Amino acid sequence: AALAADGASPAFTLDRSAPALAPDMAAQALVWPARTWSLSTLSEVQYSRWEHDGFLVVPDAVNRELAAAAAAAIRAFVGANDSQPSSWYRNTLDIYRDRAPGGAMPHHGPCGMVQLFHHASLWAIRQLPLLHGIFSDIYGTRALYVTVDRAHFKPPQNDAFPDWSDPGDVHAGLHWDIDTRRQAWPIPFAVQAVVYLEVALPACCAGIVRPSSASVPT
């Protein structure tokens, strides 16, 4: 199963048929700061990749002890037991549409999102100086504050558990997490990150990224 501390709040669906924007129009569409600061954590090569691709993978940004603690907290919260893989698929309610007995919103479901926000293991990761340094290099300032996001537990699809093949309307397909329509231009500069707490094989990986050549729907 892929576990992650996730910063996503899905919104707008990606139109993969839309043409890529010309450079002059792209400059009007979004705010991308021109770097004037020195780097404290990222290398020049890493920053160049970030500028070129629009995303960056930073290996070993979180030490294994902290990652393991957060992964254990997520498993306990969703009731997952690795010695019983069927337990990965126990939660089948849609976290947005359905309600648990008593009227509460489900804490986990087939979309994979886990409504776990304030566990100490998650805060230990959020406050890592290394992560602060990475974001400081990207934003060009150390005056940053911590956002509170949730976690993710998404087991591989399994024909024996068909409910988990449908992530629900909110998470179906690719999507933007911000309004990219022309009336929202210029899109503000904002960055999300996902911390993978364990090795995620391609068949289990919950994240999909597109390079800077990806089109922006209008």
Side-chain angles (χ1 to χ4, degrees):
L3 295 96
D6 192 1
S9 52
F12 298 92
T13 301
L14 172 66
D15 180 3
R16 281 169 285 186
S17 65
L21 295 178
D24 58 336
M25 185 173 291
Q28 301 173 35
L30 58 101
V31 176
W32 190 276
R35 181 183 152 206
T36 58
W37 55 89
S38 59
L39 301 176
S40 65
T41 303
L42 297 176
S43 68
E44 292 291 343
V45 171
Q46 287 175 313
Y47 192 88
S48 294
R49 288 175 178 168
W50 158 248
E51 284 201 307
H52 181 270
D53 295 332
F55 66 90
L56 179 65
V57 177
V58 182
D60 302 319
V62 175
N63 68 63
R64 294 185 179 184
E65 291 75 15
L66 290 180
I74 294 170
R75 280 190 171 87
F77 188 71
V78 303
N81 183 342
D82 284 359
S83 65
Q84 299 175 345
S86 61
S87 68
W88 299 347
Y89 306 90
R90 181 178 295 124
N91 304 313
T92 58
L93 296 179
D94 186 293
I95 66 170
Y96 303 99
R97 181 183 62 241
D98 297 331
R99 293 295 179 267
M105 295 181 66
H107 66 292
H108 180 230
C111 69
M113 304 308 300
V114 179
Q115 307 294 64
L116 181 64
F117 299 88
H118 289 292
H119 194 278
S121 63
L122 301 184
W123 274 104
I125 292 175
R126 291 173 183 141
Q127 298 179 92
L128 276 177
L130 179 59
L131 291 186
H132 180 266
I134 292 170
F135 278 96
S136 296
D137 283 350
I138 289 175
Y139 276 103
T141 178
R142 298 190 65 81
L144 303 174
Y145 61 87
V146 178
T147 59
V148 177
D149 295 306
R150 52 190 169 175
H152 193 272
F153 183 92
K154 181 78 170 181
Q157 290 191 12
N158 188 320
D159 291 340
F161 304 97
D163 288 338
W164 274 81
S165 296
D166 179 10
D169 295 339
V170 174
H171 291 266
L174 298 176
H175 59 262
W176 297 96
D177 285 348
I178 195 169
D179 190 349
T180 62
R181 293 172 297 181
R182 188 182 296 267
Q183 56 263 39
W185 291 6
I187 302 167
F189 182 74
V191 179
Q192 286 186 337
V194 175
V195 176
Y196 276 89
L197 304 174
E198 298 178 347
V199 174
L201 301 176
C204 300
C205 185
I208 300 175
V209 294
R210 298 191 65 174
S212 57
S213 60
S215 59
V216 177
T218 59

